[in-house]
Amino acid sequence: MTKLADLKARHMADPAFRDAYGEADAEFSVIEELIRARHAAGLTQEELARRLGTTQSVIPRLEGGRVSPTVGTLRRYAAGLGKRIRVAVV
């Protein structure tokens, strides 16, 4: 059986795959950060939704990566946690 690391290494040799992987990795990093911040604030999805004036079902869509949130949405999410967002171009 092929190990995941070997499979990844083989596919990373393909520039198109490498680019797509980098884009997906960036999206997952944002999602992980959202979830981490909510947990650090000690809030459930329902509690955060109430703070944002929305329904609980919106939060798992954001945290599950099923939508591409706008910067405004990310700002509202962060504000609901008592935080702010910071964007960096590297």
PDB file of all heavy atoms in Angstrom, residues 12-35:
ATOM      1  N   MET A  12       3.269  16.238  -5.782  1.00  0.00           N
ATOM      2  CA  MET A  12       3.819  17.589  -5.643  1.00  0.00           C
ATOM      3  C   MET A  12       4.822  17.905  -6.752  1.00  0.00           C
ATOM      4  O   MET A  12       5.160  19.073  -6.965  1.00  0.00           O
ATOM      5  CB  MET A  12       4.475  17.779  -4.273  1.00  0.00           C
ATOM      6  CG  MET A  12       3.467  17.834  -3.124  1.00  0.00           C
ATOM      7  SD  MET A  12       2.308  19.177  -3.244  1.00  0.00           S
ATOM      8  CE  MET A  12       3.139  20.390  -2.245  1.00  0.00           C
ATOM      9  N   ALA A  13       5.271  16.895  -7.482  1.00  0.00           N
ATOM     10  CA  ALA A  13       6.166  17.119  -8.615  1.00  0.00           C
ATOM     11  C   ALA A  13       5.417  17.775  -9.779  1.00  0.00           C
ATOM     12  O   ALA A  13       6.034  18.382 -10.648  1.00  0.00           O
ATOM     13  CB  ALA A  13       6.788  15.796  -9.065  1.00  0.00           C
ATOM     14  N   ASP A  14       4.092  17.677  -9.775  1.00  0.00           N
ATOM     15  CA  ASP A  14       3.256  18.277 -10.815  1.00  0.00           C
ATOM     16  C   ASP A  14       2.936  19.721 -10.408  1.00  0.00           C
ATOM     17  O   ASP A  14       2.290  19.957  -9.394  1.00  0.00           O
ATOM     18  CB  ASP A  14       1.969  17.470 -10.951  1.00  0.00           C
ATOM     19  CG  ASP A  14       0.976  18.071 -11.934  1.00  0.00           C
ATOM     20  OD1 ASP A  14       1.299  19.083 -12.599  1.00  0.00           O
ATOM     21  OD2 ASP A  14      -0.133  17.517 -12.046  1.00  0.00           O
ATOM     22  N   PRO A  15       3.408  20.711 -11.199  1.00  0.00           N
ATOM     23  CA  PRO A  15       3.188  22.119 -10.834  1.00  0.00           C
ATOM     24  C   PRO A  15       1.712  22.487 -10.640  1.00  0.00           C
ATOM     25  O   PRO A  15       1.380  23.250  -9.742  1.00  0.00           O
ATOM     26  CB  PRO A  15       3.786  22.901 -11.995  1.00  0.00           C
ATOM     27  CG  PRO A  15       4.764  21.969 -12.625  1.00  0.00           C
ATOM     28  CD  PRO A  15       4.202  20.586 -12.418  1.00  0.00           C
ATOM     29  N   ALA A  16       0.816  21.945 -11.456  1.00  0.00           N
ATOM     30  CA  ALA A  16      -0.612  22.257 -11.330  1.00  0.00           C
ATOM     31  C   ALA A  16      -1.151  21.730 -10.003  1.00  0.00           C
ATOM     32  O   ALA A  16      -1.913  22.416  -9.307  1.00  0.00           O
ATOM     33  CB  ALA A  16      -1.395  21.665 -12.491  1.00  0.00           C
ATOM     34  N   PHE A  17      -0.750  20.520  -9.639  1.00  0.00           N
ATOM     35  CA  PHE A  17      -1.170  19.952  -8.359  1.00  0.00           C
ATOM     36  C   PHE A  17      -0.611  20.778  -7.206  1.00  0.00           C
ATOM     37  O   PHE A  17      -1.326  21.091  -6.254  1.00  0.00           O
ATOM     38  CB  PHE A  17      -0.709  18.496  -8.232  1.00  0.00           C
ATOM     39  CG  PHE A  17      -1.077  17.873  -6.906  1.00  0.00           C
ATOM     40  CD1 PHE A  17      -2.309  17.265  -6.739  1.00  0.00           C
ATOM     41  CD2 PHE A  17      -0.195  17.918  -5.841  1.00  0.00           C
ATOM     42  CE1 PHE A  17      -2.651  16.708  -5.513  1.00  0.00           C
ATOM     43  CE2 PHE A  17      -0.527  17.354  -4.613  1.00  0.00           C
ATOM     44  CZ  PHE A  17      -1.759  16.750  -4.454  1.00  0.00           C
ATOM     45  N   ARG A  18       0.657  21.137  -7.313  1.00  0.00           N
ATOM     46  CA  ARG A  18       1.321  21.905  -6.254  1.00  0.00           C
ATOM     47  C   ARG A  18       0.610  23.238  -6.015  1.00  0.00           C
ATOM     48  O   ARG A  18       0.377  23.644  -4.882  1.00  0.00           O
ATOM     49  CB  ARG A  18       2.789  22.117  -6.601  1.00  0.00           C
ATOM     50  CG  ARG A  18       3.644  22.602  -5.467  1.00  0.00           C
ATOM     51  CD  ARG A  18       5.139  22.585  -5.782  1.00  0.00           C
ATOM     52  NE  ARG A  18       5.503  23.150  -7.073  1.00  0.00           N
ATOM     53  CZ  ARG A  18       5.971  22.442  -8.099  1.00  0.00           C
ATOM     54  NH1 ARG A  18       6.171  21.147  -7.996  1.00  0.00           N
ATOM     55  NH2 ARG A  18       6.273  23.036  -9.235  1.00  0.00           N
ATOM     56  N   ASP A  19       0.221  23.911  -7.108  1.00  0.00           N
ATOM     57  CA  ASP A  19      -0.494  25.178  -6.988  1.00  0.00           C
ATOM     58  C   ASP A  19      -1.863  24.979  -6.333  1.00  0.00           C
ATOM     59  O   ASP A  19      -2.243  25.733  -5.437  1.00  0.00           O
ATOM     60  CB  ASP A  19      -0.673  25.841  -8.353  1.00  0.00           C
ATOM     61  CG  ASP A  19       0.626  26.360  -8.939  1.00  0.00           C
ATOM     62  OD1 ASP A  19       1.626  26.474  -8.179  1.00  0.00           O
ATOM     63  OD2 ASP A  19       0.648  26.638 -10.144  1.00  0.00           O
ATOM     64  N   ALA A  20      -2.599  23.977  -6.785  1.00  0.00           N
ATOM     65  CA  ALA A  20      -3.924  23.703  -6.218  1.00  0.00           C
ATOM     66  C   ALA A  20      -3.815  23.320  -4.748  1.00  0.00           C
ATOM     67  O   ALA A  20      -4.629  23.735  -3.924  1.00  0.00           O
ATOM     68  CB  ALA A  20      -4.612  22.587  -6.999  1.00  0.00           C
ATOM     69  N   TYR A  21      -2.794  22.556  -4.413  1.00  0.00           N
ATOM     70  CA  TYR A  21      -2.582  22.146  -3.017  1.00  0.00           C
ATOM     71  C   TYR A  21      -2.284  23.365  -2.148  1.00  0.00           C
ATOM     72  O   TYR A  21      -2.808  23.492  -1.044  1.00  0.00           O
ATOM     73  CB  TYR A  21      -1.423  21.148  -2.937  1.00  0.00           C
ATOM     74  CG  TYR A  21      -1.214  20.578  -1.552  1.00  0.00           C
ATOM     75  CD1 TYR A  21      -1.905  19.441  -1.153  1.00  0.00           C
ATOM     76  CD2 TYR A  21      -0.344  21.181  -0.648  1.00  0.00           C
ATOM     77  CE1 TYR A  21      -1.722  18.913   0.110  1.00  0.00           C
ATOM     78  CE2 TYR A  21      -0.161  20.666   0.615  1.00  0.00           C
ATOM     79  CZ  TYR A  21      -0.848  19.523   0.992  1.00  0.00           C
ATOM     80  OH  TYR A  21      -0.674  19.011   2.252  1.00  0.00           O
ATOM     81  N   GLY A  22      -1.493  24.276  -2.661  1.00  0.00           N
ATOM     82  CA  GLY A  22      -1.169  25.486  -1.911  1.00  0.00           C
ATOM     83  C   GLY A  22      -2.398  26.344  -1.651  1.00  0.00           C
ATOM     84  O   GLY A  22      -2.562  26.895  -0.564  1.00  0.00           O
ATOM     85  N   GLU A  23      -3.262  26.451  -2.647  1.00  0.00           N
ATOM     86  CA  GLU A  23      -4.495  27.219  -2.479  1.00  0.00           C
ATOM     87  C   GLU A  23      -5.407  26.562  -1.451  1.00  0.00           C
ATOM     88  O   GLU A  23      -5.964  27.236  -0.585  1.00  0.00           O
ATOM     89  CB  GLU A  23      -5.223  27.358  -3.810  1.00  0.00           C
ATOM     90  CG  GLU A  23      -4.533  28.308  -4.769  1.00  0.00           C
ATOM     91  CD  GLU A  23      -5.232  28.382  -6.108  1.00  0.00           C
ATOM     92  OE1 GLU A  23      -6.451  28.101  -6.163  1.00  0.00           O
ATOM     93  OE2 GLU A  23      -4.570  28.739  -7.092  1.00  0.00           O
ATOM     94  N   ALA A  24      -5.561  25.254  -1.535  1.00  0.00           N
ATOM     95  CA  ALA A  24      -6.402  24.528  -0.577  1.00  0.00           C
ATOM     96  C   ALA A  24      -5.821  24.639   0.825  1.00  0.00           C
ATOM     97  O   ALA A  24      -6.558  24.802   1.797  1.00  0.00           O
ATOM     98  CB  ALA A  24      -6.534  23.068  -0.995  1.00  0.00           C
ATOM     99  N   ASP A  25      -4.497  24.569   0.927  1.00  0.00           N
ATOM    100  CA  ASP A  25      -3.849  24.663   2.230  1.00  0.00           C
ATOM    101  C   ASP A  25      -4.134  26.011   2.877  1.00  0.00           C
ATOM    102  O   ASP A  25      -4.401  26.103   4.075  1.00  0.00           O
ATOM    103  CB  ASP A  25      -2.346  24.436   2.084  1.00  0.00           C
ATOM    104  CG  ASP A  25      -1.640  24.315   3.419  1.00  0.00           C
ATOM    105  OD1 ASP A  25      -2.157  23.607   4.307  1.00  0.00           O
ATOM    106  OD2 ASP A  25      -0.564  24.925   3.573  1.00  0.00           O
ATOM    107  N   ALA A  26      -4.132  27.062   2.095  1.00  0.00           N
ATOM    108  CA  ALA A  26      -4.420  28.406   2.614  1.00  0.00           C
ATOM    109  C   ALA A  26      -5.859  28.477   3.126  1.00  0.00           C
ATOM    110  O   ALA A  26      -6.116  29.043   4.183  1.00  0.00           O
ATOM    111  CB  ALA A  26      -4.168  29.450   1.540  1.00  0.00           C
ATOM    112  N   GLU A  27      -6.797  27.899   2.377  1.00  0.00           N
ATOM    113  CA  GLU A  27      -8.195  27.900   2.803  1.00  0.00           C
ATOM    114  C   GLU A  27      -8.371  27.124   4.099  1.00  0.00           C
ATOM    115  O   GLU A  27      -9.074  27.566   5.016  1.00  0.00           O
ATOM    116  CB  GLU A  27      -9.097  27.327   1.709  1.00  0.00           C
ATOM    117  CG  GLU A  27      -9.243  28.257   0.524  1.00  0.00           C
ATOM    118  CD  GLU A  27     -10.140  27.687  -0.550  1.00  0.00           C
ATOM    119  OE1 GLU A  27     -11.092  26.954  -0.210  1.00  0.00           O
ATOM    120  OE2 GLU A  27      -9.888  27.979  -1.726  1.00  0.00           O
ATOM    121  N   PHE A  28      -7.736  25.960   4.189  1.00  0.00           N
ATOM    122  CA  PHE A  28      -7.854  25.157   5.408  1.00  0.00           C
ATOM    123  C   PHE A  28      -7.223  25.867   6.594  1.00  0.00           C
ATOM    124  O   PHE A  28      -7.703  25.756   7.720  1.00  0.00           O
ATOM    125  CB  PHE A  28      -7.246  23.769   5.215  1.00  0.00           C
ATOM    126  CG  PHE A  28      -8.106  22.856   4.383  1.00  0.00           C
ATOM    127  CD1 PHE A  28      -7.600  22.260   3.248  1.00  0.00           C
ATOM    128  CD2 PHE A  28      -9.426  22.601   4.727  1.00  0.00           C
ATOM    129  CE1 PHE A  28      -8.385  21.416   2.475  1.00  0.00           C
ATOM    130  CE2 PHE A  28     -10.232  21.765   3.963  1.00  0.00           C
ATOM    131  CZ  PHE A  28      -9.706  21.173   2.833  1.00  0.00           C
ATOM    132  N   SER A  29      -6.183  26.630   6.358  1.00  0.00           N
ATOM    133  CA  SER A  29      -5.554  27.385   7.444  1.00  0.00           C
ATOM    134  C   SER A  29      -6.512  28.422   8.012  1.00  0.00           C
ATOM    135  O   SER A  29      -6.579  28.610   9.227  1.00  0.00           O
ATOM    136  CB  SER A  29      -4.280  28.074   6.954  1.00  0.00           C
ATOM    137  OG  SER A  29      -3.299  27.121   6.635  1.00  0.00           O
ATOM    138  N   VAL A  30      -7.255  29.080   7.141  1.00  0.00           N
ATOM    139  CA  VAL A  30      -8.235  30.070   7.595  1.00  0.00           C
ATOM    140  C   VAL A  30      -9.322  29.373   8.412  1.00  0.00           C
ATOM    141  O   VAL A  30      -9.698  29.834   9.498  1.00  0.00           O
ATOM    142  CB  VAL A  30      -8.852  30.845   6.403  1.00  0.00           C
ATOM    143  CG1 VAL A  30     -10.036  31.690   6.857  1.00  0.00           C
ATOM    144  CG2 VAL A  30      -7.794  31.699   5.733  1.00  0.00           C
ATOM    145  N   ILE A  31      -9.812  28.264   7.908  1.00  0.00           N
ATOM    146  CA  ILE A  31     -10.857  27.512   8.608  1.00  0.00           C
ATOM    147  C   ILE A  31     -10.366  27.064   9.979  1.00  0.00           C
ATOM    148  O   ILE A  31     -11.070  27.222  10.985  1.00  0.00           O
ATOM    149  CB  ILE A  31     -11.310  26.304   7.759  1.00  0.00           C
ATOM    150  CG1 ILE A  31     -12.058  26.804   6.518  1.00  0.00           C
ATOM    151  CG2 ILE A  31     -12.182  25.357   8.584  1.00  0.00           C
ATOM    152  CD1 ILE A  31     -12.266  25.753   5.451  1.00  0.00           C
ATOM    153  N   GLU A  32      -9.165  26.513  10.026  1.00  0.00           N
ATOM    154  CA  GLU A  32      -8.599  26.075  11.305  1.00  0.00           C
ATOM    155  C   GLU A  32      -8.493  27.236  12.281  1.00  0.00           C
ATOM    156  O   GLU A  32      -8.773  27.091  13.470  1.00  0.00           O
ATOM    157  CB  GLU A  32      -7.224  25.448  11.097  1.00  0.00           C
ATOM    158  CG  GLU A  32      -7.262  24.085  10.473  1.00  0.00           C
ATOM    159  CD  GLU A  32      -5.872  23.546  10.161  1.00  0.00           C
ATOM    160  OE1 GLU A  32      -4.865  24.195  10.522  1.00  0.00           O
ATOM    161  OE2 GLU A  32      -5.801  22.468   9.560  1.00  0.00           O
ATOM    162  N   GLU A  33      -8.104  28.392  11.779  1.00  0.00           N
ATOM    163  CA  GLU A  33      -7.960  29.574  12.638  1.00  0.00           C
ATOM    164  C   GLU A  33      -9.316  30.021  13.185  1.00  0.00           C
ATOM    165  O   GLU A  33      -9.417  30.414  14.354  1.00  0.00           O
ATOM    166  CB  GLU A  33      -7.287  30.706  11.865  1.00  0.00           C
ATOM    167  CG  GLU A  33      -6.832  31.838  12.719  1.00  0.00           C
ATOM    168  CD  GLU A  33      -5.771  31.451  13.739  1.00  0.00           C
ATOM    169  OE1 GLU A  33      -4.937  30.581  13.459  1.00  0.00           O
ATOM    170  OE2 GLU A  33      -5.794  32.030  14.843  1.00  0.00           O
ATOM    171  N   LEU A  34     -10.355  29.982  12.358  1.00  0.00           N
ATOM    172  CA  LEU A  34     -11.694  30.334  12.818  1.00  0.00           C
ATOM    173  C   LEU A  34     -12.129  29.422  13.958  1.00  0.00           C
ATOM    174  O   LEU A  34     -12.594  29.892  15.013  1.00  0.00           O
ATOM    175  CB  LEU A  34     -12.707  30.235  11.669  1.00  0.00           C
ATOM    176  CG  LEU A  34     -12.576  31.209  10.513  1.00  0.00           C
ATOM    177  CD1 LEU A  34     -13.622  30.890   9.441  1.00  0.00           C
ATOM    178  CD2 LEU A  34     -12.709  32.641  10.979  1.00  0.00           C
ATOM    179  N   ILE A  35     -11.984  28.138  13.755  1.00  0.00           N
ATOM    180  CA  ILE A  35     -12.408  27.161  14.760  1.00  0.00           C
ATOM    181  C   ILE A  35     -11.582  27.314  16.033  1.00  0.00           C
ATOM    182  O   ILE A  35     -12.127  27.315  17.141  1.00  0.00           O
ATOM    183  CB  ILE A  35     -12.318  25.729  14.195  1.00  0.00           C
ATOM    184  CG1 ILE A  35     -13.316  25.563  13.045  1.00  0.00           C
ATOM    185  CG2 ILE A  35     -12.580  24.703  15.297  1.00  0.00           C
ATOM    186  CD1 ILE A  35     -13.123  24.309  12.223  1.00  0.00           C
TER     187      ILE A  35
END
